[in-house]
């Protein structure tokens, strides 16, 4: 089937999509957007987190056909041109990246959090990121990055 | 595989009656896992996320009707006051990403014995609304779960809503798992006080082939509270009463040994969950009644 979907503000079309395929597969393999990572394929790890109509979801659990005529925003769509989003800047500055595999999902989840909650507390951060696993276990730096991101955001 | 995309409930029901082999998909948190892992190759997927009727909730005559497609996050944010037990169970579902997509309708459709909302629906006295091109029928939650991942739906029916009585009385839910998020319950328990009927609802999850009411525990505690006039003038519960309640809850379960826990552990944990949640609910009731 053909799937028409707006991705990062751009109208995109994917052809020959299998009906049981996930949005994640379409993004990575058909639309050339490998930022969202494929790890668990069962919603456990959060590394494929994208916005679907403004709501963070695991794209591995969205059937491609469910994204028809919807708006998707991936980690590739957070920066404005060369200017990183404050969340991305904060991850870089805080060194909240080890192997980097979980980072895109965490960046999207953190992006959603600091947009909803300007000054999140530690428990709020932990709760918001509970669906994102970092197997390097670099969580302390990630918490630092989210706090820094919130500061950067409120300073703008 | 076909991908069916109805825009209205009438269209969805017509499609389901033409294609009873179509698997309904809403949040996808169960169906997509089965597809991704090649555990299931349905002839068709029936996408329900475009059906506006399924995404609404409303309250009439003290009963909240929750459309089958309302995600957990909205139950938590919009219905926490009227349905404290369901909101509590919803908060323990998966992760924020999962709660943004997953629905009670999907929980009922999957009918996993470990589904988080089932014990609450049983304890609160919920009714499942199902529909087909033939019409609508209402199935009490107590008659909905038939076996491991089997429910009372006919092949041409869709779950359209669940009806849960709104309450001001305390309800509690608790579940055991290895961490707070992304946990399939090792066992779970829900208790609901129904002062109007002088009755207590109690149910276990992940501890039998189906979610299950703890009927003897309900009767023991309801009888005890009524006999000692505690609904009108509540006093702190005797430890012996809480303990007996816990024992009867554990007896209601028939768990198995599996990777998540042993049967013996589940029974023990259930008696502890029952005692604790009852303690919290009763403390709340005592405070409110005083």
């Amino acid at each position: 089937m053909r799937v028409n979907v707006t991705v990062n503000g751009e109208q995109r079309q994917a052809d020959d999509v299998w009906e049981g395929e996930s949005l994640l597969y379409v993004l990575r393999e058909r639309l050339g957007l490998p930022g969202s990572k494929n790890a668990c394929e069962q919603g456990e790890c959060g590394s494929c987190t994208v916005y679907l109509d403004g709501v963070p979801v695991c794209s591995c659990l969205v059937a491609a056909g469910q994204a028809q005529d919807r708006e998707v925003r991936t980690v590739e769509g957070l920066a404005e041109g060369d200017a990183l989003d404050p969340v991305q800047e904060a991850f870089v500055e805080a060194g909240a990246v080890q192997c980097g595999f979980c980072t895109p999902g965490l960046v999207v989840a953190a992006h959603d959090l600091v947009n909803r909650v300007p000054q999140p507390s530690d428990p709020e951060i932990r709760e918001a990121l509970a669906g994102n696993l970092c197997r390097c276990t670099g969580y302390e730096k990630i918490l630092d990055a989210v706090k820094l991101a919130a500061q950067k955001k409120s300073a703008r | 595989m076909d991908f069916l995309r109805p825009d209205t409930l009438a269209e969805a029901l017509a499609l389901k009656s033409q294609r009873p082999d179509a698997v309904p998909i809403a949040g996808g948190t169960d169906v997509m896992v089965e597809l991704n892992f090649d555990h299931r190759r349905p002839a068709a997927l029936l996408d329900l996320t475009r059906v506006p009727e399924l995404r609404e909730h409303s309250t009439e005559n003290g009963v909240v009707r929750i459309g089958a497609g309302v995600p957990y996050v909205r139950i938590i944010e919009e219905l926490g006051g009227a349905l404290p037990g369901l909101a509590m169970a919803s908060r323990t579902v998966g992760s924020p990403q999962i709660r943004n997509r997953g629905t009670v309708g999907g929980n009922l459709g999957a009918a996993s014995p470990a589904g988080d909302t089932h014990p609450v629906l049983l304890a609160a006295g919920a009714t499942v609304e199902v529909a087909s091109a033939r019409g609508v029928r209402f199935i009490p939650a107590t008659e909905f779960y038939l076996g491991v991942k089997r429910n009372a739906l006919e092949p041409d029916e869709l779950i359209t809503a669940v009806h849960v009585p709104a309450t001001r009385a305390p309800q509690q839910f608790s579940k055991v798992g290895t961490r707070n998020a992304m946990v399939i319950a090792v066992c779970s328990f829900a208790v609901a006080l129904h002062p109007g009927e002088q009755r207590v609802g109690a149910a276990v999850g992940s501890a039998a082939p189906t979610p299950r009411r703890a009927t003897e525990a309900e009767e023991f505690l309801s009888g005890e509270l009524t006999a000692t006039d505690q609904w009108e003038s509540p006093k702190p519960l005797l430890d012996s009463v809480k303990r007996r309640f816990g024992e009867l809850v554990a007896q209601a379960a028939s768990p198995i040994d599996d990777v998540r826990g042993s049967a013996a552990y589940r029974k023990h944990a259930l008696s502890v969950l029952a005692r604790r949640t009852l303690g919290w609910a009763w403390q709340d009731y005592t405070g409110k009644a005083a």
Side-chain angles (χ1 to χ4, degrees):
Chain A
M1 65 178 174
R2 170 173 287 180
V3 175
N4 289 294
V5 53
T6 304
V7 183
N8 300 329
E10 211 181 306
Q11 183 62 47
R12 301 292 301 266
Q13 189 173 87
D15 279 315
D16 302 319
V17 174
W18 174 56
E19 287 72 13
E21 205 164 292
S22 68
L23 171 61
L24 174 63
Y25 191 91
V26 169
L27 291 171
R28 288 179 58 83
E29 310 297 336
R30 302 195 187 278
L31 299 178
L33 292 166
S36 313
K37 295 292 178 272
N38 179 11
C40 76
E41 294 195 290
Q42 52 184 318
E44 294 262 358
C45 76
S47 57
C48 68
T49 302
V50 301
Y51 285 106
L52 178 64
D53 283 349
V55 177
V57 303
C58 293
S59 58
C60 73
L61 299 183
V62 177
Q66 292 183 303
Q68 172 74 29
D69 301 328
R70 306 272 190 214
E71 274 187 38
V72 174
R73 191 176 181 195
T74 70
V75 70
E76 288 97 336
L78 299 185
E80 285 184 36
D82 286 340
L84 292 181
D85 183 89
V87 175
Q88 293 170 311
E89 275 178 11
F91 268 69
V92 173
E93 284 172 33
V97 176
Q98 289 187 45
C99 84
F101 197 88
C102 69
T103 311
L106 275 158
V107 166
V108 176
H111 185 269
D112 172 63
L113 172 66
V114 299
N115 277 312
R116 282 185 296 115
V117 187
Q119 296 294 331
S121 64
D122 274 16
E124 281 173 319
I125 298 172
R126 284 168 187 273
E127 176 57 33
L129 303 185
N132 294 75
L133 297 181
C134 167
R135 291 300 76 179
C136 306
T137 68
Y139 293 111
E140 287 299 326
K141 299 278 188 194
I142 293 168
L143 286 177
D144 292 346
V146 178
K147 281 180 261 187
L148 181 58
Q151 282 170 23
K152 281 173 174 286
K153 227 173 147 63
S154 57
R156 282 195 181 182
Chain B
M1 192 185 292
D2 295 320
F3 198 86
L4 309 173
R5 211 156 20 205
D7 287 314
T8 64
L9 183 58
E11 209 184 312
L13 297 176
L15 283 167
K16 187 63 174 153
S17 97
Q18 289 156 20
R19 297 291 303 271
D21 56 353
V23 171
I25 178 168
T29 57
D30 285 317
V31 174
M32 284 306 290
V33 176
E34 293 181 328
L35 283 168
N36 290 344
F37 284 82
D38 215 353
H39 290 160
R40 196 175 191 183
R41 282 287 176 268
L45 288 176
L46 180 60
D47 176 26
L48 299 176
T49 56
R50 266 157 238 269
V51 178
E53 294 97 321
L54 299 177
R55 300 185 65 83
E56 296 162 359
H57 63 77
S58 57
T59 305
E60 234 174 277
N61 301 324
V63 177
V64 185
R65 178 187 184 277
I66 308 167
V70 174
Y72 293 114
V73 66
R74 287 185 55 206
I75 293 174
I76 295 164
E77 287 174 3
E78 298 166 26
L79 295 170
L83 306 176
L86 188 61
M88 234 177 250
S90 299
R91 283 185 204 104
T92 76
V93 172
S95 65
Q97 289 93 325
I98 302 298
R99 293 191 289 275
N100 284 342
R101 290 284 289 170
T103 63
V104 181
N107 223 202
L108 288 163
S112 159
D116 290 319
T117 64
H118 306 318
V120 172
L121 297 178
L122 288 169
T127 303
V128 184
E129 179 192 310
V130 306
S132 68
R134 298 173 289 123
V136 178
R137 66 185 179 115
F138 298 88
I139 309 170
T142 48
E143 293 165 26
F144 187 77
Y145 310 104
L146 300 185
V148 176
K149 300 190 177 179
R150 283 199 304 115
N151 61 34
L153 275 191
E154 296 294 335
D156 65 340
E157 285 179 323
L158 292 174
I159 298 163
T160 42
V162 60
H163 298 246
V164 190
T167 185
R168 290 169 168 277
Q171 298 182 337
Q172 284 288 340
F173 171 82
S174 209
K175 102 183 190 193
V176 173
T178 43
R179 73 178 185 122
N180 236 354
M182 290 312 310
V183 155
I184 299 176
V186 174
C187 60
S188 63
F189 177 73
V191 62
L193 304 184
H194 301 284
E197 304 158 52
Q198 302 212 342
R199 192 175 68 76
V200 176
V204 302
S206 218
T210 65
R212 186 185 275 187
R213 262 174 88 188
T215 317
E216 276 183 48
E218 290 180 349
E219 283 166 7
F220 159 75
L221 184 60
S222 307
E224 190 73 23
L225 294 172
T226 303
T228 52
D229 196 27
Q230 298 245 35
W231 293 108
E232 281 301 316
S233 42
K235 294 179 282 291
L237 282 178
L238 294 174
D239 274 349
S240 59
V241 170
K242 283 193 270 189
R243 202 162 290 278
R244 182 66 187 146
F245 179 68
E247 283 168 12
L248 290 170
V249 166
Q251 279 175 29
S254 48
I256 54 169
D257 293 325
D258 69 12
V259 288
R260 296 201 299 277
S262 68
Y265 173 73
R266 286 184 157 104
K267 284 208 169 212
H268 172 74
L270 278 173
S271 70
V272 175
L273 291 186
R275 210 166 64 218
R276 282 190 194 156
T277 52
L278 172 62
W280 297 330
W282 194 253
Q283 192 170 31
D284 194 4
Y285 187 68
T286 313
K288 274 188 184 155

